[in-house]
Amino acid sequence: MALVNDHFLKLSNNYLFADIAKKVTAFKVTHPKADVISLGIGDVTQPLCPAVIEAMHKATDEMATSQGFRGYGPEQGYDFLREAILKNDFLPRGIHLDIDEIFINDGAKSDTGNIQELIRWDNSIAVTDPIYPVYIDSNVMIGRAGVQEEGRWSNVTYLPCTSENGFVPDLPEQRVDVIYLCYPNNPTGTVISKQELRKWVNYALKNDALIFYDAAYQAFITDPDVPHSIYEIRGARKCAIEFHSYSKTAGFTGVRCGYTIVPKDLTASTLTGERIHLNPLWLRRQSTKFNGTSYISQRAAEAIYTPEGRQQVQKTIDYYMQNAHEMLSALRSIGYEVYGGENAPYIWMKTPHGSSSWQFFMDLLYGANVVCTPGVGFGPSGEGYVRFTAFGNHEQTEEALQRIMDYS
Ligand SMILES: Cc1ncc(COP(=O)(O)O)c(C=O)c1O
């Protein structure tokens, strides 16, 4: 008899965005003439930039020749891309990485979910709350999260991020082994200063803990005091793994490419106290379970670092951030309490009159035909908030804001 991994059965069947889709479909059935605008799901809307398209065409043409054809590539990625990353994303910030510390991935979701394989099942984990759901669910799947009681997992330490603490969590009261941090944050759109991040690095070093740092939205940072990488903080090489993605930076949600940094200084302990380097362990894991990101996607990513690529990608980021600024000022002008949206493409809004996240979602859907994301779907501290994304088309975003203003 084959026994199922019953930790999977503990996972909620209700995937947040499937739930939203169901409610929107029900609304459309009863209101067939309504033109619904979604500011809900966090996918991008603008096309790939010309430099990326050209690089993809060129790579495809190469694949059509016997000299240029590429089969399996290196599991950790091609050097041309890893060198471009070193030179462009890290050296200008004074961060020196070895090329073998960079692992090209097929987007940050896979690696933020898979990285927990490097640590024993009985490590304790802490997450900021609300949170990108992949961090917890991937720990549930292997039994590390415990059991769920009233929306909380028994073996997970939740670090509330609310307007009261400026969305920067306090250090855990009890020691934890692993901490997931994501800045700029999805869903709150808020950021962490270098000074605050230093506290976390110091905590990790002092407590022999690991930080899994998700920097998927770093390209949206404009404030000079906000770190783009945790390695801007001294000591982070000894305690942190960092995840990057081209999905939101350059519209790669359908292309699939990003990278993960596992420093060579990073170690974790065996039960007998032996220190084990995590970089070779991750390489071993990847060589066994991952056959690399496609050559065409990696050439596409490389093109983002050319002068034209940089300029074009920045133009699209500016387009989304223009949406974000308009959303902030429109929502503020009608008295809503809103956060984020300055160094990130998400707006986090307190629901009015103490309504629940889902109640406000329904009110907005039926009252303004606009879709947002209920904050509670990202964790208990998200109750009483909703998320709006700035990744929409500009005209539709303006139309949605007008409707929200008329409705409110
Ligand atoms: C915080 C965060 N990390 C990672 C990802 C995954 O992105 P991808 O797998 O497309 O690189 C997302 C996507 O929405 C995200 O919001």
Side-chain angles (χ1 to χ4, degrees):
M1 181 171 56
L3 296 175
V4 70
N5 174 357
D6 48 13
H7 298 306
F8 275 68
L9 309 182
K10 299 177 192 166
L11 286 167
S12 153
N13 279 334
N14 299 341
Y15 176 59
L16 174 64
F17 291 103
D19 261 7
I20 293 174
K22 245 189 261 165
K23 290 189 163 57
V24 173
T25 305
F27 171 77
K28 283 182 175 167
V29 168
T30 49
H31 303 76
K33 293 206 179 114
D35 164 32
V36 176
I37 300 179
S38 177
L39 300 181
I41 200 158
D43 202 354
V44 293
T45 53
Q46 298 306 297
L48 295 170
C49 70
V52 164
I53 294 293
E54 197 183 315
M56 291 178 92
H57 280 304
K58 193 163 160 239
T60 309
D61 288 341
E62 276 179 61
M63 296 288 260
T65 66
S66 43
Q67 304 93 310
F69 173 76
R70 313 278 178 131
Y72 292 126
E75 290 92 351
Q76 66 275 41
Y78 285 102
D79 281 358
F80 62 77
L81 179 55
R82 299 199 295 164
E83 273 159 14
I85 290 167
L86 277 186
K87 237 187 267 165
N88 292 280
D89 287 350
F90 294 98
L91 275 181
R93 303 188 201 290
I95 301 167
H96 295 268
L97 295 178
D98 188 295
I99 197 161
D100 293 331
E101 295 178 317
I102 302 177
F103 296 79
I104 305 301
N105 62 35
D106 60 355
K109 188 182 211 171
S110 315
D111 281 6
T112 51
N114 292 331
I115 200 72
Q116 47 74 32
E117 288 182 24
L118 291 188
I119 55 166
R120 267 174 61 106
W121 68 273
D122 50 357
N123 278 279
S124 55
I125 65 162
V127 296
T128 52
D129 170 32
I131 187 197
Y132 177 54
V134 171
Y135 312 149
I136 292 189
D137 287 358
S138 55
N139 279 287
V140 172
M141 287 173 180
I142 71 129
R144 194 179 288 116
V147 291
Q148 199 176 23
E149 289 150 2
E150 293 171 13
R152 290 167 183 270
W153 293 93
S154 55
N155 294 346
V156 174
T157 299
Y158 290 80
L159 307 167
C161 296
T162 58
S163 56
E164 286 75 31
N165 61 11
F167 301 96
V168 175
D170 297 328
L171 295 170
E173 282 165 16
Q174 288 170 340
R175 195 195 157 276
V176 291
D177 299 308
V178 178
I179 303 140
Y180 286 82
L181 294 178
C182 170
Y183 288 103
N185 187 262
N186 177 15
T188 65
T190 56
V191 289
I192 193 165
S193 67
K194 281 189 189 152
Q195 198 189 355
E196 283 290 338
L197 188 55
R198 194 167 294 123
K199 279 192 207 162
W200 284 94
V201 169
N202 290 342
Y203 172 90
L205 293 172
K206 194 163 148 222
N207 290 280
D208 199 3
L210 288 175
I211 297 176
F212 293 159
Y213 194 77
D214 189 342
Y217 295 93
Q218 62 79 28
F220 294 84
I221 295 171
T222 50
D223 185 335
D225 189 43
V226 174
H228 288 250
S229 163
I230 194 168
Y231 305 116
E232 290 178 44
I233 311 297
R234 188 173 308 165
R237 284 181 56 83
K238 289 205 162 96
C239 63
I241 290 177
E242 182 167 280
F243 307 92
H244 286 249
S245 165
Y246 298 111
S247 283
K248 309 298 160 77
T249 310
F252 273 38
T253 50
V255 175
R256 311 306 305 148
C257 193
Y259 62 90
T260 299
I261 307 290
V262 187
K264 289 186 175 170
D265 304 359
L266 192 64
T267 61
S269 184
T270 63
L271 277 184
T272 54
E274 190 189 349
R275 301 303 301 192
I276 304 294
H277 286 274
L278 296 186
N279 176 288
L281 231 56
W282 184 243
L283 177 60
R284 186 70 182 82
R285 188 267 174 212
Q286 292 297 82
S287 311
T288 301
K289 294 196 177 180
F290 184 59
N291 251 343
T293 304
S294 89
Y295 174 67
I296 298 170
S297 296
Q298 292 190 59
R299 282 292 185 199
E302 182 194 23
I304 295 166
Y305 296 109
T306 60
E308 319 76 69
R310 275 176 171 285
Q311 218 178 24
Q312 294 163 5
V313 161
Q314 190 57 47
K315 205 168 141 204
T316 307
I317 291 174
D318 293 345
Y319 174 96
Y320 292 134
M321 290 313 286
Q322 176 67 25
N323 282 347
H325 295 146
E326 287 183 22
M327 290 161 88
L328 279 180
S329 70
L331 294 168
R332 276 191 185 131
S333 75
I334 45 175
Y336 286 129
E337 202 176 316
V338 283
Y339 302 93
E342 276 160 10
N343 292 284
Y346 295 117
I347 311 284
W348 191 239
M349 191 182 99
K350 212 163 208 168
T351 55
H353 320 301
S355 359
S356 73
S357 297
W358 275 110
Q359 183 56 54
F360 185 75
F361 164 89
M362 294 300 275
D363 290 349
L364 205 63
L365 176 61
Y366 281 73
N369 304 167
V370 172
V371 178
C372 60
T373 310
V376 70
F378 297 100
S381 295
E383 181 54 286
Y385 292 87
V386 291
R387 188 192 75 174
F388 291 103
T389 154
F391 285 125
N393 157 288
H394 192 63
E395 290 70 36
Q396 282 206 327
T397 302
E398 282 191 333
E399 164 71 19
L401 289 174
Q402 190 55 53
R403 287 193 204 166
I404 296 172
M405 290 199 283
D406 293 345
Y407 163 73
S408 299

mmCIF file of all heavy atoms in Angstrom, residues 313-349:
data_model
loop_
_atom_site.group_PDB
_atom_site.id
_atom_site.type_symbol
_atom_site.label_atom_id
_atom_site.label_comp_id
_atom_site.label_asym_id
_atom_site.label_seq_id
_atom_site.Cartn_x
_atom_site.Cartn_y
_atom_site.Cartn_z
ATOM 1 N N VAL A 313 13.453 48.610 -19.494
ATOM 2 C CA VAL A 313 12.854 47.975 -18.320
ATOM 3 C C VAL A 313 12.443 49.056 -17.308
ATOM 4 O O VAL A 313 11.366 49.004 -16.705
ATOM 5 C CB VAL A 313 13.863 46.970 -17.704
ATOM 6 C CG1 VAL A 313 13.511 46.638 -16.282
ATOM 7 C CG2 VAL A 313 13.925 45.709 -18.548
ATOM 8 N N GLN A 314 13.309 50.068 -17.166
ATOM 9 C CA GLN A 314 13.006 51.146 -16.220
ATOM 10 C C GLN A 314 11.738 51.891 -16.631
ATOM 11 O O GLN A 314 10.933 52.292 -15.786
ATOM 12 C CB GLN A 314 14.201 52.117 -16.137
ATOM 13 C CG GLN A 314 14.077 53.126 -15.008
ATOM 14 C CD GLN A 314 13.917 52.478 -13.626
ATOM 15 O OE1 GLN A 314 14.657 51.552 -13.288
ATOM 16 N NE2 GLN A 314 12.933 52.929 -12.848
ATOM 17 N N LYS A 315 11.554 52.013 -17.953
ATOM 18 C CA LYS A 315 10.363 52.725 -18.438
ATOM 19 C C LYS A 315 9.083 51.989 -17.989
ATOM 20 O O LYS A 315 8.103 52.602 -17.571
ATOM 21 C CB LYS A 315 10.438 52.794 -19.974
ATOM 22 C CG LYS A 315 9.687 53.930 -20.550
ATOM 23 C CD LYS A 315 10.032 54.131 -22.005
ATOM 24 C CE LYS A 315 8.771 54.505 -22.750
ATOM 25 N NZ LYS A 315 8.771 54.210 -24.146
ATOM 26 N N THR A 316 9.127 50.674 -18.079
ATOM 27 C CA THR A 316 7.944 49.902 -17.666
ATOM 28 C C THR A 316 7.746 49.979 -16.149
ATOM 29 O O THR A 316 6.614 50.093 -15.658
ATOM 30 C CB THR A 316 8.082 48.431 -18.121
ATOM 31 O OG1 THR A 316 8.369 48.433 -19.508
ATOM 32 C CG2 THR A 316 6.813 47.650 -17.885
ATOM 33 N N ILE A 317 8.866 49.925 -15.392
ATOM 34 C CA ILE A 317 8.750 50.053 -13.928
ATOM 35 C C ILE A 317 8.132 51.412 -13.593
ATOM 36 O O ILE A 317 7.229 51.515 -12.757
ATOM 37 C CB ILE A 317 10.141 49.872 -13.265
ATOM 38 C CG1 ILE A 317 10.582 48.419 -13.406
ATOM 39 C CG2 ILE A 317 10.126 50.313 -11.806
ATOM 40 C CD1 ILE A 317 12.001 48.130 -12.920
ATOM 41 N N ASP A 318 8.596 52.466 -14.302
ATOM 42 C CA ASP A 318 8.046 53.809 -14.062
ATOM 43 C C ASP A 318 6.546 53.855 -14.380
ATOM 44 O O ASP A 318 5.775 54.531 -13.698
ATOM 45 C CB ASP A 318 8.778 54.864 -14.913
ATOM 46 C CG ASP A 318 10.234 55.030 -14.483
ATOM 47 O OD1 ASP A 318 10.596 54.563 -13.383
ATOM 48 O OD2 ASP A 318 11.020 55.613 -15.266
ATOM 49 N N TYR A 319 6.164 53.149 -15.417
ATOM 50 C CA TYR A 319 4.744 53.093 -15.808
ATOM 51 C C TYR A 319 3.904 52.532 -14.653
ATOM 52 O O TYR A 319 2.885 53.101 -14.261
ATOM 53 C CB TYR A 319 4.639 52.208 -17.055
ATOM 54 C CG TYR A 319 3.251 51.899 -17.557
ATOM 55 C CD1 TYR A 319 2.669 52.646 -18.583
ATOM 56 C CD2 TYR A 319 2.512 50.827 -17.041
ATOM 57 C CE1 TYR A 319 1.405 52.342 -19.075
ATOM 58 C CE2 TYR A 319 1.248 50.520 -17.517
ATOM 59 C CZ TYR A 319 0.702 51.274 -18.538
ATOM 60 O OH TYR A 319 -0.557 50.978 -19.025
ATOM 61 N N TYR A 320 4.388 51.412 -14.084
ATOM 62 C CA TYR A 320 3.636 50.805 -12.971
ATOM 63 C C TYR A 320 3.660 51.716 -11.740
ATOM 64 O O TYR A 320 2.659 51.847 -11.033
ATOM 65 C CB TYR A 320 4.228 49.437 -12.602
ATOM 66 C CG TYR A 320 4.036 48.366 -13.662
ATOM 67 C CD1 TYR A 320 5.100 47.533 -14.039
ATOM 68 C CD2 TYR A 320 2.799 48.159 -14.274
ATOM 69 C CE1 TYR A 320 4.944 46.544 -15.000
ATOM 70 C CE2 TYR A 320 2.633 47.171 -15.234
ATOM 71 C CZ TYR A 320 3.714 46.364 -15.594
ATOM 72 O OH TYR A 320 3.547 45.375 -16.539
ATOM 73 N N MET A 321 4.814 52.348 -11.504
ATOM 74 C CA MET A 321 4.901 53.193 -10.310
ATOM 75 C C MET A 321 4.059 54.468 -10.452
ATOM 76 O O MET A 321 3.587 55.014 -9.464
ATOM 77 C CB MET A 321 6.367 53.514 -9.970
ATOM 78 C CG MET A 321 7.135 52.297 -9.464
ATOM 79 S SD MET A 321 6.274 51.326 -8.194
ATOM 80 C CE MET A 321 6.448 52.385 -6.770
ATOM 81 N N GLN A 322 3.860 54.885 -11.690
ATOM 82 C CA GLN A 322 2.933 56.004 -11.930
ATOM 83 C C GLN A 322 1.522 55.588 -11.497
ATOM 84 O O GLN A 322 0.807 56.332 -10.825
ATOM 85 C CB GLN A 322 2.976 56.369 -13.425
ATOM 86 C CG GLN A 322 2.015 57.449 -13.869
ATOM 87 C CD GLN A 322 2.374 58.804 -13.264
ATOM 88 O OE1 GLN A 322 3.529 59.042 -12.926
ATOM 89 N NE2 GLN A 322 1.383 59.669 -13.103
ATOM 90 N N ASN A 323 1.146 54.356 -11.858
ATOM 91 C CA ASN A 323 -0.142 53.822 -11.377
ATOM 92 C C ASN A 323 -0.196 53.870 -9.858
ATOM 93 O O ASN A 323 -1.183 54.304 -9.263
ATOM 94 C CB ASN A 323 -0.306 52.343 -11.769
ATOM 95 C CG ASN A 323 -0.693 52.152 -13.222
ATOM 96 O OD1 ASN A 323 -1.081 53.103 -13.891
ATOM 97 N ND2 ASN A 323 -0.601 50.916 -13.701
ATOM 98 N N ALA A 324 0.903 53.390 -9.231
ATOM 99 C CA ALA A 324 0.928 53.305 -7.768
ATOM 100 C C ALA A 324 0.736 54.695 -7.150
ATOM 101 O O ALA A 324 -0.045 54.862 -6.200
ATOM 102 C CB ALA A 324 2.241 52.681 -7.297
ATOM 103 N N HIS A 325 1.423 55.698 -7.709
ATOM 104 C CA HIS A 325 1.311 57.045 -7.132
ATOM 105 C C HIS A 325 -0.099 57.600 -7.294
ATOM 106 O O HIS A 325 -0.646 58.211 -6.377
ATOM 107 C CB HIS A 325 2.352 57.985 -7.765
ATOM 108 C CG HIS A 325 3.752 57.565 -7.432
ATOM 109 N ND1 HIS A 325 4.820 57.717 -8.278
ATOM 110 C CD2 HIS A 325 4.251 56.938 -6.335
ATOM 111 C CE1 HIS A 325 5.910 57.220 -7.707
ATOM 112 N NE2 HIS A 325 5.586 56.736 -6.534
ATOM 113 N N GLU A 326 -0.688 57.332 -8.456
ATOM 114 C CA GLU A 326 -2.065 57.810 -8.661
ATOM 115 C C GLU A 326 -3.028 57.107 -7.717
ATOM 116 O O GLU A 326 -3.978 57.703 -7.200
ATOM 117 C CB GLU A 326 -2.485 57.601 -10.120
ATOM 118 C CG GLU A 326 -1.789 58.597 -11.023
ATOM 119 C CD GLU A 326 -2.198 58.498 -12.482
ATOM 120 O OE1 GLU A 326 -3.297 57.977 -12.779
ATOM 121 O OE2 GLU A 326 -1.405 58.932 -13.333
ATOM 122 N N MET A 327 -2.773 55.814 -7.489
ATOM 123 C CA MET A 327 -3.653 55.066 -6.585
ATOM 124 C C MET A 327 -3.546 55.623 -5.166
ATOM 125 O O MET A 327 -4.556 55.851 -4.498
ATOM 126 C CB MET A 327 -3.271 53.581 -6.597
ATOM 127 C CG MET A 327 -3.617 52.917 -7.914
ATOM 128 S SD MET A 327 -2.722 51.382 -8.159
ATOM 129 C CE MET A 327 -3.801 50.247 -7.364
ATOM 130 N N LEU A 328 -2.303 55.857 -4.730
ATOM 131 C CA LEU A 328 -2.104 56.392 -3.376
ATOM 132 C C LEU A 328 -2.832 57.713 -3.213
ATOM 133 O O LEU A 328 -3.571 57.917 -2.246
ATOM 134 C CB LEU A 328 -0.609 56.631 -3.110
ATOM 135 C CG LEU A 328 0.248 55.444 -2.701
ATOM 136 C CD1 LEU A 328 1.684 55.904 -2.485
ATOM 137 C CD2 LEU A 328 -0.278 54.790 -1.436
ATOM 138 N N SER A 329 -2.641 58.613 -4.200
ATOM 139 C CA SER A 329 -3.232 59.939 -3.971
ATOM 140 C C SER A 329 -4.749 59.888 -4.122
ATOM 141 O O SER A 329 -5.455 60.552 -3.360
ATOM 142 C CB SER A 329 -2.561 61.013 -4.822
ATOM 143 O OG SER A 329 -2.882 60.824 -6.141
ATOM 144 N N ALA A 330 -5.278 59.085 -5.035
ATOM 145 C CA ALA A 330 -6.747 59.010 -5.171
ATOM 146 C C ALA A 330 -7.373 58.404 -3.909
ATOM 147 O O ALA A 330 -8.353 58.934 -3.379
ATOM 148 C CB ALA A 330 -7.110 58.177 -6.395
ATOM 149 N N LEU A 331 -6.792 57.331 -3.425
ATOM 150 C CA LEU A 331 -7.391 56.669 -2.258
ATOM 151 C C LEU A 331 -7.268 57.548 -1.011
ATOM 152 O O LEU A 331 -8.187 57.622 -0.201
ATOM 153 C CB LEU A 331 -6.749 55.286 -2.038
ATOM 154 C CG LEU A 331 -7.028 54.271 -3.164
ATOM 155 C CD1 LEU A 331 -6.145 53.046 -3.032
ATOM 156 C CD2 LEU A 331 -8.495 53.858 -3.185
ATOM 157 N N ARG A 332 -6.123 58.246 -0.894
ATOM 158 C CA ARG A 332 -5.956 59.160 0.252
ATOM 159 C C ARG A 332 -6.958 60.311 0.169
ATOM 160 O O ARG A 332 -7.505 60.737 1.176
ATOM 161 C CB ARG A 332 -4.538 59.736 0.275
ATOM 162 C CG ARG A 332 -3.598 58.793 0.956
ATOM 163 C CD ARG A 332 -2.229 59.394 1.246
ATOM 164 N NE ARG A 332 -1.401 58.336 1.802
ATOM 165 C CZ ARG A 332 -0.179 58.047 1.397
ATOM 166 N NH1 ARG A 332 0.399 58.758 0.453
ATOM 167 N NH2 ARG A 332 0.481 57.055 1.958
ATOM 168 N N SER A 333 -7.190 60.791 -1.077
ATOM 169 C CA SER A 333 -8.066 61.964 -1.231
ATOM 170 C C SER A 333 -9.491 61.676 -0.769
ATOM 171 O O SER A 333 -10.233 62.586 -0.429
ATOM 172 C CB SER A 333 -8.066 62.442 -2.685
ATOM 173 O OG SER A 333 -8.844 61.555 -3.464
ATOM 174 N N ILE A 334 -9.863 60.392 -0.753
ATOM 175 C CA ILE A 334 -11.226 60.098 -0.274
ATOM 176 C C ILE A 334 -11.197 59.507 1.145
ATOM 177 O O ILE A 334 -12.140 58.875 1.603
ATOM 178 C CB ILE A 334 -11.995 59.177 -1.257
ATOM 179 C CG1 ILE A 334 -11.113 58.022 -1.732
ATOM 180 C CG2 ILE A 334 -12.540 59.973 -2.417
ATOM 181 C CD1 ILE A 334 -11.835 57.023 -2.610
ATOM 182 N N GLY A 335 -10.048 59.703 1.791
ATOM 183 C CA GLY A 335 -9.986 59.410 3.229
ATOM 184 C C GLY A 335 -9.567 58.004 3.609
ATOM 185 O O GLY A 335 -9.600 57.649 4.786
ATOM 186 N N TYR A 336 -9.157 57.192 2.649
ATOM 187 C CA TYR A 336 -8.710 55.848 3.011
ATOM 188 C C TYR A 336 -7.296 55.895 3.577
ATOM 189 O O TYR A 336 -6.486 56.757 3.207
ATOM 190 C CB TYR A 336 -8.727 54.913 1.791
ATOM 191 C CG TYR A 336 -10.115 54.494 1.361
ATOM 192 C CD1 TYR A 336 -10.519 54.625 0.039
ATOM 193 C CD2 TYR A 336 -11.011 53.943 2.278
ATOM 194 C CE1 TYR A 336 -11.786 54.224 -0.378
ATOM 195 C CE2 TYR A 336 -12.282 53.548 1.875
ATOM 196 C CZ TYR A 336 -12.661 53.687 0.544
ATOM 197 O OH TYR A 336 -13.910 53.296 0.154
ATOM 198 N N GLU A 337 -7.017 54.913 4.471
ATOM 199 C CA GLU A 337 -5.684 54.813 5.070
ATOM 200 C C GLU A 337 -4.888 53.825 4.217
ATOM 201 O O GLU A 337 -5.228 52.637 4.180
ATOM 202 C CB GLU A 337 -5.873 54.277 6.490
ATOM 203 C CG GLU A 337 -4.748 54.591 7.416
ATOM 204 C CD GLU A 337 -5.074 54.090 8.826
ATOM 205 O OE1 GLU A 337 -6.210 54.270 9.314
ATOM 206 O OE2 GLU A 337 -4.168 53.475 9.409
ATOM 207 N N VAL A 338 -3.872 54.321 3.509
ATOM 208 C CA VAL A 338 -3.151 53.457 2.563
ATOM 209 C C VAL A 338 -1.652 53.452 2.847
ATOM 210 O O VAL A 338 -1.103 54.445 3.320
ATOM 211 C CB VAL A 338 -3.380 53.894 1.095
ATOM 212 C CG1 VAL A 338 -4.728 53.451 0.592
ATOM 213 C CG2 VAL A 338 -3.213 55.390 0.911
ATOM 214 N N TYR A 339 -1.026 52.336 2.537
ATOM 215 C CA TYR A 339 0.413 52.147 2.792
ATOM 216 C C TYR A 339 1.067 51.552 1.548
ATOM 217 O O TYR A 339 0.391 51.059 0.658
ATOM 218 C CB TYR A 339 0.603 51.205 3.989
ATOM 219 C CG TYR A 339 -0.059 51.730 5.226
ATOM 220 C CD1 TYR A 339 -1.361 51.352 5.548
ATOM 221 C CD2 TYR A 339 0.584 52.657 6.040
ATOM 222 C CE1 TYR A 339 -1.995 51.868 6.660
ATOM 223 C CE2 TYR A 339 -0.043 53.180 7.166
ATOM 224 C CZ TYR A 339 -1.331 52.778 7.475
ATOM 225 O OH TYR A 339 -1.955 53.288 8.573
ATOM 226 N N GLY A 340 2.411 51.531 1.569
ATOM 227 C CA GLY A 340 3.153 50.952 0.440
ATOM 228 C C GLY A 340 3.108 51.872 -0.755
ATOM 229 O O GLY A 340 2.896 53.078 -0.633
ATOM 230 N N GLY A 341 3.341 51.295 -1.953
ATOM 231 C CA GLY A 341 3.155 52.049 -3.186
ATOM 232 C C GLY A 341 4.226 53.077 -3.512
ATOM 233 O O GLY A 341 4.137 53.743 -4.536
ATOM 234 N N GLU A 342 5.240 53.212 -2.626
ATOM 235 C CA GLU A 342 6.282 54.204 -2.926
ATOM 236 C C GLU A 342 7.568 53.565 -3.434
ATOM 237 O O GLU A 342 8.243 54.106 -4.294
ATOM 238 C CB GLU A 342 6.559 55.069 -1.691
ATOM 239 C CG GLU A 342 5.550 56.191 -1.612
ATOM 240 C CD GLU A 342 5.416 56.799 -0.252
ATOM 241 O OE1 GLU A 342 6.240 56.495 0.629
ATOM 242 O OE2 GLU A 342 4.458 57.570 -0.052
ATOM 243 N N ASN A 343 7.880 52.406 -2.905
ATOM 244 C CA ASN A 343 9.057 51.647 -3.358
ATOM 245 C C ASN A 343 8.629 50.240 -3.761
ATOM 246 O O ASN A 343 9.428 49.304 -3.728
ATOM 247 C CB ASN A 343 10.078 51.541 -2.217
ATOM 248 C CG ASN A 343 10.694 52.884 -1.874
ATOM 249 O OD1 ASN A 343 11.545 53.382 -2.594
ATOM 250 N ND2 ASN A 343 10.255 53.475 -0.787
ATOM 251 N N ALA A 344 7.359 50.083 -4.078
ATOM 252 C CA ALA A 344 6.813 48.753 -4.390
ATOM 253 C C ALA A 344 5.515 48.924 -5.174
ATOM 254 O O ALA A 344 4.823 49.929 -5.007
ATOM 255 C CB ALA A 344 6.534 48.008 -3.091
ATOM 256 N N PRO A 345 5.182 47.938 -5.993
ATOM 257 C CA PRO A 345 3.989 48.075 -6.839
ATOM 258 C C PRO A 345 2.686 47.632 -6.176
ATOM 259 O O PRO A 345 1.733 47.277 -6.869
ATOM 260 C CB PRO A 345 4.341 47.161 -8.017
ATOM 261 C CG PRO A 345 5.211 46.105 -7.406
ATOM 262 C CD PRO A 345 5.963 46.732 -6.295
ATOM 263 N N TYR A 346 2.648 47.578 -4.858
ATOM 264 C CA TYR A 346 1.420 47.194 -4.153
ATOM 265 C C TYR A 346 0.977 48.286 -3.195
ATOM 266 O O TYR A 346 1.808 48.931 -2.547
ATOM 267 C CB TYR A 346 1.628 45.903 -3.345
ATOM 268 C CG TYR A 346 1.897 44.693 -4.216
ATOM 269 C CD1 TYR A 346 3.102 44.011 -4.123
ATOM 270 C CD2 TYR A 346 0.951 44.240 -5.132
ATOM 271 C CE1 TYR A 346 3.359 42.904 -4.938
ATOM 272 C CE2 TYR A 346 1.203 43.131 -5.941
ATOM 273 C CZ TYR A 346 2.403 42.481 -5.838
ATOM 274 O OH TYR A 346 2.655 41.395 -6.637
ATOM 275 N N ILE A 347 -0.350 48.454 -3.109
ATOM 276 C CA ILE A 347 -0.949 49.384 -2.155
ATOM 277 C C ILE A 347 -1.710 48.537 -1.152
ATOM 278 O O ILE A 347 -2.485 47.647 -1.533
ATOM 279 C CB ILE A 347 -1.982 50.302 -2.865
ATOM 280 C CG1 ILE A 347 -1.418 50.917 -4.142
ATOM 281 C CG2 ILE A 347 -2.553 51.328 -1.891
ATOM 282 C CD1 ILE A 347 -0.461 52.025 -3.966
ATOM 283 N N TRP A 348 -1.490 48.813 0.103
ATOM 284 C CA TRP A 348 -2.132 48.053 1.200
ATOM 285 C C TRP A 348 -3.071 49.024 1.899
ATOM 286 O O TRP A 348 -2.639 50.065 2.386
ATOM 287 C CB TRP A 348 -1.030 47.572 2.130
ATOM 288 C CG TRP A 348 -1.372 46.573 3.187
ATOM 289 C CD1 TRP A 348 -1.226 46.743 4.529
ATOM 290 C CD2 TRP A 348 -1.830 45.232 3.013
ATOM 291 N NE1 TRP A 348 -1.563 45.591 5.195
ATOM 292 C CE2 TRP A 348 -1.939 44.649 4.285
ATOM 293 C CE3 TRP A 348 -2.170 44.452 1.896
ATOM 294 C CZ2 TRP A 348 -2.372 43.330 4.491
ATOM 295 C CZ3 TRP A 348 -2.595 43.145 2.091
ATOM 296 C CH2 TRP A 348 -2.698 42.604 3.368
ATOM 297 N N MET A 349 -4.344 48.696 1.912
ATOM 298 C CA MET A 349 -5.325 49.675 2.400
ATOM 299 C C MET A 349 -6.127 49.123 3.571
ATOM 300 O O MET A 349 -6.572 47.972 3.526
ATOM 301 C CB MET A 349 -6.271 50.029 1.248
ATOM 302 C CG MET A 349 -7.141 51.206 1.564
ATOM 303 S SD MET A 349 -8.262 51.547 0.207
ATOM 304 C CE MET A 349 -9.725 50.750 0.815
#
